[in-house]
Amino acid sequence: MKRRRVVIAGLGDVGVLTAIRLSRHAEVTGISVKPGLVSGQELGVRLSRPADWARDYWIPFDRFRRLESVRTIQAALTGVDLAARTVAGRREDGTPIAVEYDALVISTGVTNGFWRRPTLQSAAEIEADLRAAHARLAAAGSVIVVGGGVAAVSSAANMATTWPGKRIDLYFPGERALPAYHPRTWRRIQGRLTDLGVGLHPGHRAEVPDGFAGDEISAEPVRWSTGQPPACAAAVLWAIGRVRPNTGWLPPELLDAYGFVRVTPELRVPGQRGVFAVGDVAATDPLRSSARNRGDALVAHNVRAEFAGRRLRGYRAPGRRWGSLLGIQPDGLEVFLPSGQAFRLPPWSVERVVMPGFVRWGMYRGIRANDPLI
C-alpha cells in the first residue's frame, strides 16, 4: 500500500517535532528556509552565550536520527494550490519547487526581531549572525532592553549574568513584566533581576521610530509615548513582541484578520480536508500556545487519524504560560508552573539527565554528536 504524503511547511521547533512524530507513519517532506533547526527559543542565552545556545538550539537536520527518512528541502515557500494539493517554493538559486501532499501541516511560525526571520540562510550565514549580535552587545558599555515579555526579560537577565560590569536597563509598558504569567512568577524574576543589578523601569511604552521594524540592535535614544525623558545606551535591544506571521504564501481566505492561520480545535484549517496548522502561526488562542504545549503531538495524531478515518482530538489552551524563562544558568534550570511556583533542577541533572535524556532522546528521538558549530 502506498504511503500517504505529508508536507511540513516550516521546520522550526514545532515543525521538526511534528516531522519526527510522523516520520515512521508517512512519506514526509519538510520545507525550511534554514539548513537545520534554528530555534526561536532562549534569546537571552543566544545573545550572551552563543556557543552554549548553538549546542542545543542550532542543529543541522542531518543530526536528527528520526529525520533520516524525511526529505528536507531548503526553499522559501511561495504558494499553495489547494485544489491540486501542491505546495510551491523557490530555492536560493531561484529554482522553483512543487511538492504534492495528501496532508499539509503549516508550521511556518512568525517573524520577531532579528532572531526570527524567514530568510534563506546558509550555515555560515547563521553562524555569522550569532557572532555579530553577541559581539555588538559584548562591546557595549550599556544596554537598554525594551519589552516586557520572555525575550526581553531573559535577555536582560542573561546579559547581566554574563557581563556583570555592564549597565543594563529593562523598560516595559505595564506595572510588571511577564503579563502572560502568574504574578508570583514576575515577583520571583523581579528579585533575580534586582540581585543582578538590572535597572527596572515599569510604565514605559516606547515610541517605535517610523520604518523601524525592531529587527536590529540600535543605538538611537529611545523615546516614550508615556511621557518620560528619552533613554540612551550604547546598544538598544528591541524585544517588544511585534510578531508578524509568516503566511504571505497562503491564500487570504485561510487567514484571520491579523494574518494568522484560522484553525478548528482539532488544528485543522476550516473547510480544507488534510490541511492543518500548528505553532505560533496558528490562531488557536490569544497566546497561540500550541507552539509550546505538545501541539506537535496533537497535530501528528490528527493527521494519522484523518488518514484512518478516526475521530480527531481537540486542543485545549492553558490559562497561563509556564516553563523555563531564563534558560540554563550556572546554578541550574528553573521551571515555573502555571501557578507561579517554581522548582530548580541542579546543574548536574540538566547536563547529565535533562538535555541528553529528556530532550535529545525523549523529544527528538536521538541527536548525533557533532563538533560545536560556532
Side-chain angles (χ1 to χ4, degrees):
M1 181 177 177
K2 186 177 180 181
R3 301 182 85 195
R4 298 295 188 101
R5 300 163 300 178
V6 179
V7 170
I8 313 291
L11 290 175
D13 293 294
V14 71
V16 164
L17 289 170
T18 302
I20 286 171
R21 290 183 178 277
L22 288 170
S23 62
R24 294 186 175 177
H25 306 283
E27 182 182 296
V28 180
T29 298
I31 303 174
S32 173
V33 292
K34 314 297 183 189
L37 171 63
V38 182
S39 176
Q41 299 182 60
E42 307 294 4
L43 176 62
V45 178
R46 172 176 174 152
L47 295 174
S48 61
R49 292 178 282 127
D52 290 348
W53 182 87
R55 179 192 60 223
D56 298 322
Y57 296 105
W58 158 211
I59 307 171
F61 294 134
D62 61 9
R63 288 181 55 198
F64 291 93
R65 295 180 184 275
R66 285 287 289 272
L67 293 185
E68 285 181 346
S69 62
V70 174
R71 177 191 178 201
T72 58
I73 302 174
Q74 188 174 1
L77 293 159
T78 57
V80 58
D81 187 327
L82 296 168
R85 305 179 77 76
T86 303
V87 171
R90 183 189 67 257
R91 298 184 188 269
E92 190 171 18
D93 63 3
T95 304
I97 64 164
V99 186
E100 297 180 345
Y101 64 83
D102 296 305
L104 169 64
V105 178
I106 301 165
S107 56
T108 42
V110 296
T111 295
N112 184 15
F114 59 85
W115 59 94
R116 296 178 75 181
R117 292 185 290 188
T119 52
L120 283 163
Q121 284 185 301
S122 66
E125 289 169 333
I126 293 167
E127 292 153 21
D129 274 358
L130 292 175
R131 292 192 187 98
H134 172 75
R136 174 76 174 85
L137 292 167
S142 58
V143 179
I144 285 175
V145 182
V146 183
V150 176
V153 169
S154 171
S155 296
N158 277 280
M159 285 190 287
T161 301
T162 300
W163 300 301
K166 197 184 299 293
R167 185 178 67 106
I168 298 172
D169 290 278
L170 174 65
Y171 291 83
F172 46 94
E175 294 183 5
R176 65 180 180 93
L178 304 177
Y181 289 77
H182 194 284
R184 188 183 292 121
T185 301
W186 168 239
R187 287 196 294 270
R188 188 175 178 91
I189 294 295
Q190 182 182 29
R192 183 77 175 254
L193 292 169
T194 300
D195 291 344
L196 288 168
V198 175
L200 301 178
H201 306 271
H204 286 68
R205 184 173 296 279
E207 292 182 357
V208 182
D210 291 340
F212 181 65
D215 57 358
E216 62 184 65
I217 299 171
S218 66
E220 300 298 319
V222 182
R223 303 184 184 279
W224 313 103
S225 63
T226 39
Q228 298 90 346
C232 299
V236 178
L237 174 65
W238 294 79
I240 55 178
R242 184 172 286 189
V243 301
R244 303 183 300 279
N246 298 323
T247 53
W249 61 285
L250 291 170
E253 60 266 25
L254 302 190
L255 311 178
D256 68 9
Y258 302 99
F260 295 93
V261 181
R262 294 184 294 111
V263 290
T264 68
E266 295 75 26
L267 302 183
R268 189 163 64 183
V269 177
Q272 301 295 331
R273 184 169 179 80
V275 181
F276 298 80
V278 66
D280 285 318
V281 77
T284 51
D285 59 282
L287 297 177
R288 299 182 304 282
S289 59
S290 70
R292 292 162 291 276
N293 294 278
R294 297 180 58 82
D296 58 284
L298 179 67
V299 80
H301 172 274
N302 284 350
V303 167
R304 294 177 60 197
E306 183 158 288
F307 285 159
R310 301 194 306 267
R311 182 179 179 182
L312 277 60
R313 296 175 184 167
Y315 175 72
R316 295 182 63 183
R320 294 186 186 274
R321 291 191 62 176
W322 64 281
S324 168
L325 290 172
L326 306 184
I328 300 172
Q329 299 295 305
D331 59 355
L333 179 68
E334 191 170 40
V335 179
F336 289 87
L337 302 175
S339 64
Q341 296 173 313
F343 62 91
R344 184 181 302 281
L345 300 169
W348 67 265
S349 69
V350 176
E351 181 180 348
R352 300 176 192 173
V353 180
V354 175
M355 296 308 295
F358 288 98
V359 176
R360 298 189 185 103
W361 278 106
M363 286 178 56
Y364 292 119
R365 306 294 195 268
I367 297 177
R368 296 180 181 85
N370 202 355
D371 293 331
L373 291 170
I374 65 170

